[in-house]
Amino acid sequence: FSPEVIFDPFVYLSPDRKPLPEAQQIADKVKEAAKLIQISMGCASDSHYRYEQLIRNEHNLSSCYRIAPLFEKFKEVPAIVLGAGPSLDEFMGAASDYEKKTGKKITEKALVIACDASLRKLLNHGIRPHLVSRCERKLTPIFKGVTKEDTKGIYFAAYPWVEPSFFDLFDEKFMLYRGNGVCKFSRPFDFGDVDGGVSAANAALELAFLFNVKEVYISGIDLVFIDNKSHASDTGVEFDPENSKDKWTEIELNNGEKGTSIPVWRRCLAEYQSAIYKHRKLVFNTSQKGAVIGGTKAITWEEALDRLISCEAAKNPL
């Protein structure tokens, strides 16, 4: 946290024992590096792993698409942002209802951005999101059962510390940056900053905002247990909520009741609210039993579908 730079007197000090100019330059770089590591979204060891992953992703740094050219490009297109919470099941029903009413897939009306944990379930229901976001650096079973054939035509959007084999699962992929840490040190690539918070769903919402979509509908972003479930069935889970049971708290739900939340969900909640406040974009929250997210308007999927059907938008968003 506070490195001390000691110079070799035979190399870096003048006869009167003052640092030579190049010595001061080295000292300044060391202190700058230490400061960047401190703001690299975690502890020193986590930052070290991020650097390792970035080096392992060298081929992806040179081959992934830049995300920046898509910023501001979807002003007439609504977006649906999907988490992997229990209410994701309601989106499945809504997508089916939309198809029955219009004869078209919901992905033909809205830009669908899904978090990594929801992909397997979406594919099993015949729903192919346009983009899938990922933030976590660990190698986990998050995409268990998903093959490269399954992901044809789906874009992967992830950060340079994400496991390289996950990039390899997709033919089409965007690299995302953040304005700190390892991304500062590899800045010449400059893919475009997506400062998307704690979770993949946080990043997905940030992408929708940066694309400047017409309006946003969120589903599966519950941030509480619903019927004692932390996630929808057949989705990937990377942590055990029981580990923080002593820190569970009650928070307000969209239906006026109270629900149980855990520390990481509360961090995500703060990130959603901060992003909504920053971008001032219209966000509809379809999770009736989910947490109140400041800046969103709670509506049912029936209401949401009525809005989507009447909304004039590009036929094929991407």
Side-chain angles (χ1 to χ4, degrees):
F1 286 97
S2 184
E4 179 184 4
V5 181
I6 301 173
F7 301 111
D8 181 339
F10 299 103
V11 180
Y12 293 113
L13 299 185
S14 64
D16 58 357
R17 303 193 64 76
K18 292 183 179 179
L20 297 174
E22 57 266 34
Q24 193 58 54
Q25 290 175 4
I26 293 171
D28 290 343
K29 288 297 182 184
V30 169
K31 292 175 182 178
E32 180 186 358
K35 183 178 180 181
L36 288 172
I37 288 173
Q38 288 179 42
I39 61 172
S40 290
M41 302 296 290
C43 61
S45 62
D46 186 56
S47 298
H48 174 74
Y49 293 135
R50 288 173 187 254
Y51 288 113
E52 284 191 332
Q53 291 290 73
L54 178 137
I55 293 168
R56 292 182 63 216
N57 270 315
E58 181 181 4
H59 65 292
N60 287 313
L61 288 169
S62 63
S63 63
C64 283
Y65 301 128
R66 296 177 64 244
I67 196 69
L70 292 186
F71 294 170
E72 301 289 329
K73 296 295 185 182
F74 296 88
K75 295 180 180 180
E76 300 304 317
V77 180
I80 299 173
V81 173
L82 302 175
S87 70
L88 181 62
D89 288 322
E90 297 171 8
F91 168 73
M92 303 301 173
S96 177
D97 290 343
Y98 180 88
E99 191 166 355
K100 290 175 183 176
K101 290 180 178 181
T102 67
K104 298 179 180 179
K105 298 275 189 184
I106 200 167
T107 49
E108 295 182 66
K109 171 64 73 168
L111 178 69
V112 178
I113 310 175
C115 77
D116 46 11
S118 68
L119 179 59
R120 182 173 62 225
K121 186 179 185 73
L122 293 172
L123 291 174
N124 288 344
H125 284 76
I127 300 170
R128 304 181 63 77
H130 297 100
L131 288 97
V132 175
S133 60
R134 173 133 181 107
C135 298
E136 179 57 64
R137 61 173 171 78
K138 298 175 184 176
L139 175 60
T140 72
I142 196 77
F143 293 130
K144 184 178 180 180
V146 177
T147 68
K148 194 163 185 174
E149 190 63 30
D150 293 328
T151 66
K152 296 292 184 184
I154 297 175
Y155 291 80
F156 188 50
Y159 294 92
W161 51 80
V162 167
E163 167 61 33
S165 64
F166 290 155
F167 281 98
D168 296 340
L169 194 58
F170 297 79
D171 285 331
E172 312 288 348
K173 44 214 170 188
F174 289 101
M175 184 68 71
L176 312 181
Y177 264 16
R178 283 181 180 157
N180 60 14
V182 297
C183 298
K184 299 272 288 187
F185 280 145
S186 55
R187 182 54 65 184
F189 287 100
D190 200 16
F191 290 95
D193 286 355
V194 181
D195 291 316
V198 180
S199 72
N202 282 135
L205 183 61
E206 184 70 12
L207 279 169
F209 289 151
L210 292 172
F211 292 163
N212 196 17
V213 298
K214 187 172 186 177
E215 57 194 30
V216 183
Y217 300 82
I218 61 176
S219 181
I221 299 177
D222 304 309
L223 308 173
V224 292
F225 293 98
I226 296 180
D227 299 327
N228 296 318
K229 296 178 181 178
S230 64
H231 291 73
S233 61
D234 201 25
T235 60
V237 182
E238 296 182 300
F239 65 94
D240 183 359
E242 294 288 332
N243 291 338
S244 61
K245 196 164 186 176
D246 59 326
K247 298 178 182 177
W248 291 3
T249 55
E250 297 293 300
I251 61 175
E252 186 179 354
L253 306 183
N254 288 313
N255 62 7
E257 299 178 2
K258 294 284 187 178
T260 302
S261 188
I262 65 177
V264 69
W265 291 340
R266 295 197 298 275
R267 285 179 59 202
C268 292
L269 173 60
E271 189 67 33
Y272 289 124
Q273 292 178 156
S274 175
I276 292 167
Y277 178 80
K278 177 174 67 174
H279 293 285
R280 306 299 176 98
K281 182 67 66 174
L282 186 59
V283 179
F284 295 102
N285 189 348
T286 63
S287 177
Q288 297 297 307
K289 296 182 179 179
V292 170
I293 301 175
T296 68
K297 177 178 175 60
I299 63 173
T300 65
W301 263 116
E302 184 178 7
E303 295 172 299
L305 290 182
D306 287 341
R307 286 188 62 91
L308 282 169
I309 291 171
S310 63
C311 175
E312 294 183 7
K315 188 174 182 180
N316 293 300
L318 267 180

